[in-house]
Amino acid sequence: SVVGVRGERGFAHGRKRVKQAGERFLLCSDGLFSVVPDQQITEVLSDLSISLDDACRRLVDAANAGGGPDNITAVVLQVDVP
């Protein structure tokens, strides 16, 4: 997982091999990852009972609740086959 791994300029960089169907990934701007704690992101993405749309909305709402200091962009992806 690249959650919590930040390179220069604050961007997350990493390579991850999909290990199982159902894994979720978040592509987002710094307006989200600079405000929402990694633990909260992990909790939302790990809860497979939450739809992809709802997971994305919850994360954007959390960023807005944290002050939304920058543009907030998010896409949540789920892998169906490893």
Side-chain angles (χ1 to χ4, degrees):
S1 174
V2 295
V3 168
V5 177
R6 301 187 198 266
E8 295 176 26
R9 298 189 196 164
F11 292 102
H13 299 278
R15 183 179 286 184
K16 182 171 185 335
R17 173 169 270 147
V18 176
K19 295 181 182 175
Q20 63 185 19
E23 282 192 277
R24 290 183 172 184
F25 297 89
L26 172 65
L27 303 174
C28 67
S29 65
D30 61 342
L32 191 146
F33 79 77
S34 66
V35 176
V36 182
D38 290 347
Q39 181 62 35
Q40 185 174 0
I41 293 171
T42 300
E43 288 172 6
V44 171
L45 295 179
S46 297
D47 187 347
L48 300 181
S49 69
I50 301 172
S51 72
L52 297 176
D53 286 341
D54 285 343
C56 194
R57 174 60 46 210
R58 287 182 189 196
L59 293 170
V60 170
D61 288 348
N64 280 318
D70 198 355
N71 293 332
I72 302 167
T73 304
V75 176
V76 177
L77 309 164
Q78 181 170 319
V79 178
D80 289 330
V81 260

